[in-house]
Amino acid sequence: MAALTVAGVNVTHPEREVFGPGGPTKGEVVAYYESVAAWMLPELARRPLSLVRCPGGLGSACFFQKHHADTLGRHVKPVVLEEKGGDEAQYIYVEDVAGVIELVQMNTLEFHPWGSHVDDPDKPDRLIFDLDPAKGVPWKDIVAAAREIRERLGDIGLTSFVRTSGGKGLHVVAPFRTGPSWDAVKAFCEGIADAMVADAPKRYIAQASKAKREGLIFIDWLRNTRGATSVTGWSLRAREGAPVAMPVRWEEIARLKTGAAFDMNKAVRRGRSLEADPWEGMGTLKQSLP
């Protein structure tokens, strides 16, 4: 098949099946990201990114990439950030749909932004709890955990939002005014997770130990550190069936059955039918981290 031009970007090999035989093609993935870009970019634009790239599709090795390269495209921007050892490196960010499509042309399937912007990467402006259940944990328990986090945050004045992870669980996200340090945000989130474990040790765990996780929901607060990332809303996941991490309204989660309830086709239909962003107000809330 001839190359396509999408958002001004030349897309090669659009016929390649990137999700296995019979699964979505590269051209369909490009069309997907173009169609949902208006919903996706507010959470993605001008944030340092880590990418999951799968040059040979799911049948080959996929890898994370966080450093910039000129080969990624002219709309894929570099930002110089200090790394743990003190050295500096060029990280990736995008500003528009052309940058997203250039990354998909380079076989990107997943987009994982920081919790801060490139303008001030050491000043986070959102926190996230990733609820990762052990095998066999009922969906209703995952929903209850998300609601409990919402309630705890609400009790201290923070409005939060929820999305499916595209996997087994849910993400609870809360924006706040820039100002707190990464260490302060990390300590705050650890405190919430530890309190939930203390109150219900037979339901939750806050340690990243798979050996101890059986029958429990891991409240992953560790993504609230400098350099850590979490999949953005509307991003595909590099998994069989092309599931999507989907922002939803709080009242929607009880009607779902899994964190992978939305695949690419359902996400396209949802994007076309939505009259308002499920996370409406996310970018304009004026609330402060206690």
Side-chain angles (χ1 to χ4, degrees):
M1 184 184 294
L4 300 175
T5 299
V6 178
V9 177
N10 190 45
V11 178
T12 59
H13 305 293
E15 76 288 348
R16 182 184 296 151
E17 294 178 328
V18 294
F19 280 92
T25 64
K26 182 178 179 181
E28 290 169 333
V29 171
V30 167
Y32 166 73
Y33 276 118
E34 183 190 35
S35 73
V36 303
W39 300 116
M40 179 178 173
L41 279 167
E43 191 186 353
L44 182 73
R46 298 193 62 78
R47 293 180 182 272
L49 292 176
S50 291
L51 315 169
V52 175
R53 293 178 60 196
C54 303
L58 294 189
S60 66
C62 298
F63 60 92
F64 266 96
Q65 179 171 342
K66 62 183 181 180
H67 291 139
H68 184 267
D70 291 338
T71 54
L72 292 175
R74 66 187 180 91
H75 294 95
V76 180
K77 309 293 186 178
V79 57
V80 177
L81 299 177
E82 183 177 324
E83 301 195 290
K84 285 183 179 179
D87 294 333
E88 292 185 336
Q90 289 189 336
Y91 281 61
I92 297 164
Y93 75 96
V94 297
E95 296 180 313
D96 52 27
V97 63
V100 172
I101 300 304
E102 283 179 340
L103 289 173
V104 180
Q105 157 60 15
M106 296 303 291
N107 306 298
T108 297
L109 292 182
E110 297 187 13
F111 295 82
H112 295 243
W114 282 34
S116 61
H117 285 86
V118 295
D119 310 286
D120 205 344
D122 290 313
K123 294 292 179 65
D125 63 356
R126 63 185 51 187
L127 58 83
I128 179 169
F129 292 95
D130 179 356
L131 297 174
D132 186 6
K135 184 177 180 180
V137 173
W139 178 251
K140 64 179 180 62
D141 291 352
I142 305 165
V143 169
R147 288 173 171 167
E148 182 175 345
I149 292 175
R150 180 195 190 191
E151 183 176 346
R152 286 175 181 264
L153 293 175
D155 286 345
I156 50 180
L158 289 177
T159 296
S160 58
F161 300 80
V162 66
R163 68 167 165 245
T164 65
S165 68
K168 296 182 295 182
L170 292 166
H171 295 168
V172 179
V173 183
F176 50 85
R177 291 185 180 93
T178 55
S181 67
W182 280 111
D183 285 345
V185 176
K186 178 183 176 182
F188 173 83
C189 294
E190 182 180 11
I192 295 284
D194 286 347
M196 290 177 64
V197 172
D199 289 346
K202 294 185 178 180
R203 292 172 58 194
Y204 304 130
I205 186 172
Q207 299 174 336
S209 170
K210 290 190 176 181
K212 299 178 181 178
R213 203 180 299 180
E214 185 176 353
L216 303 174
I217 297 171
F218 172 38
I219 305 171
D220 186 353
W221 53 272
L222 297 167
R223 298 173 186 270
N224 300 288
T225 59
R226 188 183 188 278
T229 61
S230 181
V231 69
T232 196
W234 297 91
S235 175
L236 290 166
R237 306 306 306 268
R239 300 171 183 173
E240 186 177 352
V244 174
M246 180 59 69
V248 293
R249 297 179 181 86
W250 278 104
E251 60 267 25
E252 290 182 273
I253 55 176
R255 299 196 296 267
L256 304 177
K257 296 181 179 179
T258 171
F262 295 90
D263 62 13
M264 192 176 81
N265 293 329
K266 288 181 180 178
V268 169
R269 293 195 296 270
R270 179 176 173 82
R272 289 172 178 168
S273 65
L274 280 175
E275 297 180 359
D277 192 336
W279 283 15
E280 189 172 14
M282 174 74 167
T284 56
L285 270 177
K286 303 300 182 184
Q287 56 185 14
S288 298
L289 192 72

